[in-house]
Amino acid sequence: MAAARWPPPADAARSRSTRHPSDQSAPHPRFYQPPGRPVAGAHLDPNLKQLLDRRLYLPERSWLADPGRCHAAGVPAQTTFATKPALAAEMVADALDAGLAARWVSGDEVYGQDPRLRAMLERRRIGYVLAIAGNLRVGLEGIDRDVADIATGVADRHWHRYRAGQGAKGPRWYAWAWARIDDPGPEADDEGEGHGYRWLLIRRNLTTGELAFYGCYAPKPMPLAALVKIADIRWAVEEVFQAAKGQAGLDHYQVRRWRAWYRHVTLAMLALAFLAALAADQPPCDERHIPLTMPEIRRLLAALVLSPRRSTAEVLRWSSWRRRHQATARHCHYQRRSQP
């Protein structure tokens, strides 16, 4: 592939911009996307949820196979192709090496299907609950079977109803089943004995019957409720990403170069961490109001600092009114859905 001129002329922006191949049909020639797709990691604890690290995934054929195109976009010459799970493994390893106290990792199917990522976590004795596809084969009682086939044979008495955290409209109830799998995994020794415990976790929607599957590992025995709780972390991760996009402009970039993308994403992560710290460091509020959320804190900062056209008392009065009505709405939703 020939190297493109940089920046591309307006009439060539569709074919020569830094858009991902799936974005080439976008009509506006002035907006640019980064060379690839972002991979980010989030750190969650009960009080503070924030983005931890970021990597830019570069497609091998459309980018890294074209040195001229990479040079024009400022991609470092030593950059080599890495899959998204490999980038995730790098971020997890860097965080652990820096002293982050983490016990669990959760992710979607892209990461759950990768044996190298699972191997790295098991070597470090880090538990994981990773989503997997229904056609993944695991060993159960000495027989390799698709996890979807295993789910069809689960008896009714083996399904357990657990609440997978709180949603926007109340508790999320599912039926759960699990089985200890004898797949030795990537960390088995010569005798086939692994260093830890592995389970297949199955989630069933109580309304639609839709199934979801998770591959689980822990260095010591865990109850089903603990694995369900970690599986729910994925919802919190999605909430962090949505907050980063909606409140800190994580995806509002119009960049042409590698360094510009990293600068923008790093500043967005810093802004999100600032909002998250303010939201976490607040005194308890009464039952008639919800706590200050990141959107509300951002709204207050904009009204009081960036455009102080109204009095402080008026701004705070409107904030109290919103939080009171949000508390009422949440209470009604939770009361209606408190039981499945």
Side-chain angles (χ1 to χ4, degrees):
M1 181 183 296
R5 286 197 296 123
W6 203 268
D11 59 355
R14 287 178 182 245
S15 59
R16 296 184 180 181
S17 73
T18 56
R19 297 179 192 271
H20 190 270
S22 62
D23 300 325
Q24 295 294 344
S25 60
H28 208 303
R30 293 185 295 124
F31 293 135
Y32 292 87
Q33 298 288 341
R37 285 285 186 258
V39 177
H43 177 238
L44 308 177
D45 65 35
N47 299 318
L48 188 61
K49 302 176 177 65
Q50 60 185 333
L51 293 178
L52 189 67
D53 203 350
R54 71 278 180 265
R55 296 287 192 278
L56 185 58
Y57 167 77
L58 288 175
E60 185 174 18
R61 294 183 178 180
S62 58
W63 273 93
L64 293 176
D66 188 347
R69 191 182 190 189
C70 291
H71 176 73
V75 178
Q78 67 273 18
T79 303
T80 59
F81 175 73
T83 63
K84 291 183 179 181
L87 296 175
E90 289 180 8
M91 290 190 290
V92 172
D94 289 347
L96 295 175
D97 292 341
L100 179 69
R103 296 176 54 195
W104 293 93
V105 169
S106 181
D108 59 26
E109 288 183 15
V110 173
Y111 307 98
Q113 299 287 104
D114 188 81
R116 291 176 293 274
L117 174 60
R118 302 197 307 269
M120 185 276 293
L121 295 173
E122 294 183 14
R123 282 195 300 269
R124 290 178 172 266
R125 310 286 284 175
I126 300 296
Y128 59 74
V129 178
L130 299 170
I132 57 177
N135 59 359
L136 183 69
R137 299 183 69 83
V138 298
L140 182 65
E141 298 180 351
I143 302 175
D144 287 344
R145 300 172 58 189
D146 291 348
V147 296
D149 293 338
I150 295 175
T152 60
V154 178
D156 291 342
R157 66 179 183 277
H158 292 150
W159 290 101
H160 307 274
R161 193 169 61 188
Y162 283 97
R163 187 177 67 181
Q166 294 284 356
K169 298 182 179 180
R172 297 187 298 266
W173 291 92
Y174 293 97
W176 301 83
W178 66 333
R180 176 82 184 275
I181 55 178
D182 51 22
D183 182 356
E187 270 299 283
D189 55 26
D190 294 337
E191 285 75 28
E193 295 294 332
H195 305 291
Y197 298 82
R198 299 174 185 83
W199 300 271
L200 168 64
L201 180 64
I202 308 171
R203 188 192 72 192
R204 187 182 68 191
N205 188 296
L206 294 175
T207 303
T208 65
E210 181 182 4
L211 299 176
F213 310 98
Y214 301 86
C216 309
Y217 163 84
K220 59 182 181 180
M222 287 289 166
L224 174 59
L227 300 181
V228 169
K229 183 177 180 180
I230 302 304
D232 177 59
I233 287 178
R234 282 191 57 210
W235 294 86
V237 172
E238 293 299 327
E239 291 173 355
V240 172
F241 278 109
Q242 291 302 320
K245 294 176 181 179
Q247 308 306 321
L250 181 69
D251 60 343
H252 296 175
Y253 41 71
Q254 300 174 23
V255 299
R256 295 183 175 101
R257 298 181 66 83
W258 171 279
R259 183 176 295 179
W261 183 87
Y262 271 95
R263 284 175 175 174
H264 174 88
V265 173
T266 302
L267 287 174
M269 291 171 58
L270 180 61
L272 180 69
F274 175 72
L275 293 174
L278 290 179
D281 187 23
Q282 58 179 297
C285 62
D286 58 81
E287 295 182 355
R288 298 188 302 113
H289 296 77
I290 66 169
L292 283 171
T293 61
M294 285 191 285
E296 187 63 23
I297 292 173
R298 179 176 177 268
R299 187 181 294 112
L300 289 173
L301 290 174
L304 297 174
V305 179
L306 300 181
S307 57
R309 291 175 292 182
R310 294 182 293 170
S311 67
T312 301
E314 181 185 4
V315 172
L316 295 179
R317 185 167 59 251
W318 275 107
S319 175
S320 176
W321 181 88
R322 282 191 298 269
R323 293 165 55 210
R324 186 172 66 252
H325 280 261
Q326 289 170 351
T328 301
R330 185 173 68 176
H331 174 75
C332 293
H333 283 306
Y334 282 14
Q335 188 176 36
R336 187 169 57 202
R337 299 187 58 181
S338 59
Q339 296 296 329

